[in-house]
Amino acid sequence: MAVASAAPGSTFCKPLLFSFLVLILLCDGCQKISLQVPFHLQAETLVDKVNLKECLQPASLILSSDPAFRILEDGSIYTTRDLILSSERKSFSIFLSDSQRQEEKAIEIVLEARGKKVPKKRHAKDTVLKRSKRRWAPIPCSLMENSLGPFPQHVQQVQSDAAQNYTIFYSISGPGVDKEPFNLFFINKDSGDIFCTRSIDREQYDHFPLYAYATTADGYAPEYPLPLLFKVEDDNDNAPYFENKVTIFSVPENCRSGTSVGKVSAIDLDEPDTLHTRLKYKILQQIPDHPKHFSIHPDTGVITTTSPLLDRESCDTYKLIMEVRDMGGQPFGLFNTGTITISLEDENDNAPYFTENSYFAEVEENRIDVEILRMAVHDKDLPSTPHSKAVYTILQGNENGNFKISTDPNTNEAVLCVVKPLNYEVNRQVILQIGVVNEVQFSKGPGSQAPAMCTTTVTVKIKDSDEGPECQPPVKVIQSKDGLPAGKELLGYKAFDPETRSGEGLRYKKLGDEDDWFEINEVTGDLKTLKVLDRESKFVKNNEYNVSVVATDADGRSCTGTLVVRLEDDNDHAPQIEKEVTICQHVQDFAVLKPVDPDGPENGPPFEFFLDNSASKLWTVGTKDGKTAILRARQNLDYDFYNVPIQIKDRHGLTAKHMLSVRVCDCTTPSDCRMNSRQRESNANVSKVILGRWAILAMVLGSALLLCVLFTCFCVTTKTTVKKCFPDDVAQQNLIVSNTEGPGEEVMDANIRLPAQTCNIGDTSVSVGTLGGQGVKAQQSFEMVKGGYTLESSKGGGHRTLESVKGAGQGVTDTGRYVYTDWHSFTQPRLGEKVYLCGQDEEHKHSQDCVRSYNYEGKGSMAGSVGCCSEGQEEEGLEFLDHLEPKFRTLAKTCVKN
């Protein structure tokens, strides 16, 4: 939305007037509004407020036909200059336009000058109905800070439209009236004029929010409280000042021109973003003032260097007197000063140097860990910093490492020491060249070059002294063959006297000989073997055997040397292998053989493996990579220990025969195998039993004697023929092998027979018959007679045990046969009853009570357990089982357990 107004004398007056005429002719008119105003209107005075939305909404352009008035978007009408209404009425138009809808409207405003205010009563009525202007509205107002008066000073006037109908009294409240600061403002209750009583400090109070009230004499308030905001206009009454009175910055010496040193800042309490707080900085003075090294940006306050010649060794601190001024640095602006301190940071721009060009020192030969000289240096850089701490180096003359140089941390001096003995006979004087640098790298200044290292010369004179023998070299190596027998001589260790360069008069002794292989010649130092030299001994390391020797002169002074006997490998050891291996047959059907040759690599692998002819029938062996072999059985073997003879040959043909014990086991890992050495020994002992010829002869004679006895028994028994009355299946009633799991042969005929016939054995009658069919009655009995005794069984006649019959047959001579007969007589009727019930059962429940195939025995039957054949619920009358024949005892024990 645009709001336009024109002031008198503007160049836009004529075009606007022309556009107004066009709008008057073309646009539609809204209602006419009449406003009553004072005859004198000051510039920027709120005349009244109209509702523009009632005429056109929204309006993108708002224009006034009279340039003396300015229209705001909310409908407020302000004067652009002082106006005096010469006539009673003045009219103008407000033009509204909507560019999107191409719609235009106009509102006619009529201003009427009002006369003096006439007091009226509260309930008096106006006979003329007019639309009056709204003067009870916020009025912008400002006060000047530090105003000089005169006081009281007129600030603003408030008026209410209700004054046309009532006698209105005005009042105000808020800060400056009834709040801090008190009594700063007051109002004329009749005219509404507001006055200020004294000057105001904006830095303390920058605005005053007040409320104006319009009431009648009796307290009636025809208007809402009117908010008033008095803004205090700033006066440049505060000079800027630096935040810190003393500010310290630091910058490295020899830095480039334009390097930022730091930034200063100042504070101005006047109104921000005004000319009163626009600050400018400048350097008033530099101490020392020559040459000029620093400058400052006038707006930002950033201090930079202007010269690359800052040298800490010349001047380490600078002071700058700074000024800050407001009003953009104008001469009439307020200002203040401050002090800035700039410290220069040290850089390693000065190399250390020796105080003397050459030095001299003396030391006795063979002395070690002794200090012989101290040297001092100078450095202009900051003391006790890496820029000045010295590092010394021996550049020449210490090729043998006899000297060491270090730095004393307290004095920064060079300390020269001897760490390795010097030999007067070899060199009587040593000249050393020593250099010095700092701990950190040299820092070059702009346009400068790094200086060369400072050096000095040290002459060390060696003093002669009487010394003992020398053992040179400290370690001597001699060669010997592996397996050298005892009594052989080897060249020993030789020492000498440094004065005479001869070994005469020296005596030698052994200090160390771990396995006591040698004895030493006291005069010559030669060695003589006491044992056979073995390269594979545990005392030999890397084919070398060490012997320590001490040489002593006549004065007891000595030196020590080491004699290293290096043994040349000989192929004197055959490959070895572990004697026992385990094969977990169901997991891994082979074993890996890993031979070890104590000889060196040149006499070791590749190996070759061979089996004896006897072992080749069960086993195969094959090499894998020349270092290992695979032993595998030709077929699955029983779990046991097996002895496998094997031969292993190294690369040069040296062969070793080994008896390998192979344990074939049912396991997952060899450690899980339960076969132990005791089982192996027992198996071995059994296998080692060999029958002699006399034992074989005894066995043959015993067998012949047994055959004779059997033949005699057979002849005796055939002479007596007695017809025995037993069931037809007596021959089948023998113990059979019971560990077969398959079903038995199909039984076609009944094995249990009822008494159907009678035979006489020794004037005794026995009734024998077959049980089966439906002709069997509930009461059945049969007799089996042996020796005139009868055993009866009746189903309904009560429980009968074998015990009652057992006593009657105690006088019988054939006890074994009698016992079997009693048992047969006791069980035969019960089994017969069982067979009969199976035949009578239509549902075949009893027929299910039989032995099934081992893999499936079926569900339980209605007939119950076979144990019912005993018909006994008490465990009595079974003592006869103790007298059964040996082949029936197993069956008897089973019955007792069940």
Side-chain angles (χ1 to χ4, degrees), residues 598-769:
D599 294 324
E602 63 278 1
N603 295 317
F607 300 115
E608 296 181 18
F609 301 85
F610 305 95
L611 292 176
D612 288 356
N613 293 332
S614 59
S616 300
K617 297 178 181 180
L618 297 178
W619 305 90
T620 62
V621 65
T623 182
K624 188 175 182 180
D625 53 3
K627 296 182 180 179
T628 59
I630 301 297
L631 179 66
R632 193 188 306 270
R634 294 185 180 271
Q635 59 187 0
N636 287 340
L637 302 177
D638 294 337
Y639 301 142
D640 203 348
F641 286 88
Y642 298 88
N643 293 326
V644 180
I646 189 172
Q647 296 183 18
I648 305 175
K649 183 188 300 184
D650 62 14
R651 67 164 61 190
H652 295 299
L654 185 60
T655 305
K657 294 183 180 181
H658 302 280
M659 181 59 70
L660 191 63
S661 176
V662 181
R663 181 173 58 169
V664 180
C665 188
D666 182 13
C667 59
T668 303
T669 60
S671 60
D672 296 335
C673 185
R674 302 302 182 187
M675 298 175 61
N676 52 31
S677 58
R678 293 183 178 178
Q679 294 177 346
R680 176 185 176 184
E681 292 175 0
S682 62
N683 295 339
N685 292 334
V686 171
S687 62
K688 292 179 181 179
V689 175
I690 300 175
L691 296 178
R693 57 184 179 178
W694 294 109
I696 296 175
L697 180 60
M699 293 174 63
V700 172
L701 295 177
S703 300
L705 182 60
L706 180 61
L707 290 175
C708 293
V709 173
L710 293 176
F711 180 75
T712 303
C713 294
F714 176 75
C715 293
V716 173
T717 55
T718 54
K719 292 180 180 181
T720 304
T721 304
V722 180
K723 182 178 180 182
K724 297 182 179 180
C725 186
F726 288 103
D728 298 336
D729 60 343
V730 171
Q732 299 179 6
Q733 295 183 7
N734 298 319
L735 291 178
I736 64 174
V737 179
S738 61
N739 60 350
T740 57
E741 296 286 348
E745 297 179 359
E746 184 178 1
V747 180
M748 303 302 294
D749 298 330
N751 292 330
I752 305 175
R753 303 179 185 276
L754 292 175
Q757 59 184 358
T758 304
C759 58
N760 296 326
I761 304 176
D763 296 334
T764 303
S765 61
V766 179
S767 178
V768 181

Side-chain angles (χ1 to χ4, degrees), residues 264 280-283 295-304 322:
V264 295
K280 294 289 184 180
Y281 301 92
K282 71 176 181 179
I283 299 175
S295 65
I296 188 170
H297 193 283
D299 296 324
T300 61
V302 176
I303 302 174
T304 56
M322 308 293 298

Side-chain angles (χ1 to χ4, degrees), residues 122-149:
R122 171 181 169 184
H123 299 288
K125 295 184 180 179
D126 194 351
T127 56
V128 182
L129 296 177
K130 297 182 180 180
R131 178 178 177 85
S132 59
K133 71 172 185 176
R134 293 291 298 163
R135 294 180 295 174
W136 190 253
I139 303 173
C141 182
S142 62
L143 301 173
M144 181 58 67
E145 179 187 14
N146 301 324
S147 175
L148 298 178

Side-chain angles (χ1 to χ4, degrees), residues 314-385:
S314 299
C315 180
D316 60 352
T317 303
Y318 291 88
K319 289 187 178 181
L320 303 179
I321 307 300
M322 308 293 298
E323 178 191 89
V324 57
R325 188 183 293 267
D326 60 13
M327 300 301 291
Q330 297 296 327
F332 53 83
L334 302 179
F335 68 93
N336 221 325
T337 60
T339 302
I340 305 297
T341 301
I342 300 176
S343 297
L344 299 185
E345 298 176 353
D346 184 42
E347 293 290 324
N348 188 24
D349 57 344
N350 293 276
Y353 57 92
F354 290 99
T355 57
E356 298 181 15
N357 295 328
S358 62
Y359 296 87
F360 179 81
E362 290 183 345
V363 62
E364 292 184 359
E365 64 174 336
N366 300 322
R367 293 285 302 276
I368 59 172
D369 296 331
V370 58
E371 178 183 322
I372 62 174
L373 182 64
R374 281 180 172 260
M375 296 170 286
V377 294
H378 285 310
D379 196 322
K380 294 181 180 180
D381 291 322
L382 192 64
S384 301
T385 64

